[in-house]
Amino acid sequence: MISFFLTWFGVMFAMVFSPGPANIILAAAGAKQGIKRSIPLIVGIDSIFIIKSCLIGFGLAEIFQRYPLILVIVQWAGIIYLIWLALKFLRIEDSENSDVNATLGFVEGAVLQTLNAKGWLLVALMFSLFSEPAFELWGTNSTAILIAMLAGLNITIHTTWVTIGASLGYLSKNRQFENRMNRGFALALLLTAVWLGWQGIEMTTN
């Protein structure tokens, strides 16, 4: 069991911790609104992650295999949403602006994770790699246990990303610094959108 967990953790930690769309938004939220006000965002992201895990763990992966266009559509919708979020950060100019005081909450997290194609692929990969060895260990409970393991890992890492962002926010309350930080997060989101778009083009041409 220990060797299974170490193998699972080695693969899944690298994938969950990598700076994808959700982690960039979590870091930005931590810097912009602090840890406490970012909790609804974490809940929104990880609630959808759990739903994804349940759907794929209990058979949705076969639908993606039969109809790969669904995942392509989800990916392009996610790219549009990332660009919208990036533009939202770029519109932040002063503390009187309503966009500044608006928080990234549960709804934004839920929409982001629903449209995050990387999240769908991550969950599908976990089950393709670990379903059989997990079944040998836990039998019919294996799917539920894998879902719980991934949920625990997600919540821990997503909280870490918010904390990293909050630490950046505490470095300076200078408005100029905050504007540069917002532009940095916006650029990271735009670059992620470009990268996902390139992947989407490859998916449709292959």
Side-chain angles (χ1 to χ4, degrees), residues 109-122:
V111 173
L112 175 67
Q113 193 53 252
T114 300
L115 300 178
N116 183 6
K118 176 193 171 187
W120 290 103
L121 293 172
L122 184 153

Side-chain angles (χ1 to χ4, degrees), residues 7-23:
T7 303
W8 176 88
F9 183 81
V11 173
M12 300 310 298
F13 177 85
M15 296 184 67
V16 175
F17 191 79
S18 62
N23 290 339

Side-chain angles (χ1 to χ4, degrees), residues 106-175:
F106 179 89
V107 173
E108 287 79 8
V111 173
L112 175 67
Q113 193 53 252
T114 300
L115 300 178
N116 183 6
K118 176 193 171 187
W120 290 103
L121 293 172
L122 184 153
V123 176
L125 180 63
M126 180 185 74
F127 283 108
S128 67
L129 291 175
F130 298 106
S131 286
E132 290 186 13
F135 185 83
E136 293 177 3
L137 286 172
W138 300 300
T140 55
N141 296 321
S142 60
T143 298
I145 292 173
L146 284 174
I147 291 170
M149 288 169 62
L150 182 58
L153 182 64
N154 277 329
I155 292 168
T156 301
I157 290 179
H158 291 160
T159 303
T160 300
W161 273 99
V162 168
T163 304
I164 291 171
S167 299
L168 290 173
Y170 291 141
L171 288 176
S172 175
K173 296 300 181 182
N174 181 276
R175 190 63 202 162

Side-chain angles (χ1 to χ4, degrees), residues 15-98:
M15 296 184 67
V16 175
F17 191 79
S18 62
N23 290 339
I24 293 172
I25 286 296
L26 287 164
K32 177 175 177 285
Q33 60 201 40
I35 297 172
K36 186 176 180 180
R37 295 174 70 195
S38 299
I39 291 175
L41 177 66
I42 297 174
V43 174
I45 288 173
D46 288 323
S47 295
I48 298 300
F49 233 127
I50 291 171
I51 292 172
K52 284 182 178 181
S53 300
C54 292
L55 291 173
I56 292 178
F58 294 105
L60 188 64
E62 295 181 7
I63 296 178
F64 285 146
Q65 290 174 354
R66 287 187 181 184
Y67 308 103
L69 183 60
I70 294 175
L71 199 57
V72 174
I73 293 171
V74 169
Q75 181 156 333
W76 282 104
I79 289 167
I80 294 169
Y81 188 64
L82 286 178
I83 294 171
W84 179 82
L85 288 173
L87 294 175
K88 186 175 181 179
F89 276 102
L90 291 175
R91 285 197 303 267
I92 297 174
E93 295 179 356
D94 58 75
S95 58
E96 299 301 320
N97 191 314
S98 60

